[in-house]
Amino acid sequence: MRVFLAVDVDRRLSYKIQKIQKDLIKTDAPLKLVDSENLHFTFKFFGEINPNQIKQITNITEGKLENYQAFPLHIKGTGVFPHPGYMRVLWLGIEDPAKFSELQKDLDEEFANMGFKKERSYTPHLTIARVKGAHNKEFLADKIHELQDIEIGKMDVDKLVLKKSELTPVGPIYTDLHEFFI
């Protein structure tokens, strides 16, 4: 199974994110938008794993979350990966990501002990679109710059979700495998 650990976006914020996606589409750049039901912050992408690894991941996550409490998350600002000269992923960021990053690093350390590759330079982000070509790149870059300080809103991080990802020709299908409450 292809699996990852994530924080789902509060549905109350989805309409604001969809509004930004519509603004980005107006640039006529070749974009593949992330469906609103698939919006999430990825904590860890595991790739193809077996049922035994899922049990280990579940045990580690449950154990680590006992040391944490729910915390607020403020979604604000836009960015791109890998860099503005070559945009492949458009994302929304987090203002003051300290608590989010602390939890991610704590979990990542444990997952590295299981043999998963440790994240080198993790940037908490919410992918909203993928760029599928260079057409109208300048307009897209201008729009991203214009939205760099956009305020989306606040939500509480009170659970993580282990998700299965099935790749299909029309896009990924995510299935929740396990919820971990903080």
Side-chain angles (χ1 to χ4, degrees):
M1 261 189 285
R2 190 171 186 264
V3 175
F4 64 94
L5 187 62
V7 171
D8 286 329
V9 170
D10 189 319
R11 293 288 164 228
R12 294 175 300 136
L13 300 176
S14 292
Y15 76 95
K16 287 184 179 181
I17 296 167
Q18 288 171 329
K19 187 173 182 275
I20 290 168
Q21 289 175 318
K22 286 177 184 161
D23 276 354
L24 293 169
I25 286 293
K26 289 176 187 173
T27 65
D28 201 29
L31 300 176
K32 170 79 172 99
L33 302 179
V34 174
D35 294 335
S36 63
E37 65 271 7
N38 287 346
L39 291 170
H40 66 273
F41 292 90
T42 300
F43 254 78
K44 181 70 176 177
F45 180 76
F46 298 103
E48 293 288 334
I49 63 174
N50 63 48
N52 187 45
Q53 289 172 304
I54 288 177
K55 280 184 193 166
Q56 287 180 280
I57 290 165
T58 299
N59 291 338
I60 287 170
T61 305
E62 286 173 343
K64 280 293 176 188
L65 289 182
E66 289 176 6
N67 303 320
Y68 287 87
Q69 294 182 336
F71 56 91
L73 182 102
H74 185 188
I75 303 172
K76 180 182 178 183
T78 58
V80 300
F81 288 137
H83 57 80
Y86 183 65
M87 296 179 282
R88 301 297 294 152
V89 173
L90 307 181
W91 51 263
L92 296 172
I94 299 174
E95 184 176 70
D96 190 20
K99 286 190 188 295
F100 191 96
S101 294
E102 176 189 340
L103 177 56
Q104 188 280 330
K105 283 179 186 162
D106 200 8
L107 285 166
D108 198 39
E109 192 73 41
E110 294 295 324
F111 299 141
N113 291 337
M114 279 182 66
F116 291 103
K117 190 175 178 183
K118 199 169 181 183
E119 299 290 336
R120 283 185 317 201
S121 58
Y122 179 81
T123 302
H125 67 281
L126 170 65
T127 299
I128 57 172
R130 298 188 190 291
V131 183
K132 298 296 183 182
H135 180 71
N136 283 343
K137 177 174 110 173
E138 306 80 26
F139 295 125
L140 183 59
D142 289 346
K143 181 54 77 175
I144 292 290
H145 181 74
E146 181 184 312
L147 297 170
Q148 71 183 359
D149 294 321
I150 191 81
E151 294 268 351
I152 303 303
K154 292 183 181 175
M155 59 177 264
D156 286 328
V157 176
D158 55 7
K159 75 175 176 177
L160 301 181
V161 184
L162 191 63
K163 295 178 176 278
K164 177 173 79 167
S165 172
E166 296 174 74
L167 300 179
T168 73
V170 293
I173 297 172
Y174 300 145
T175 306
D176 293 355
L177 299 175
H178 195 88
E179 293 181 333
F180 306 95
F181 292 93
I182 301 174

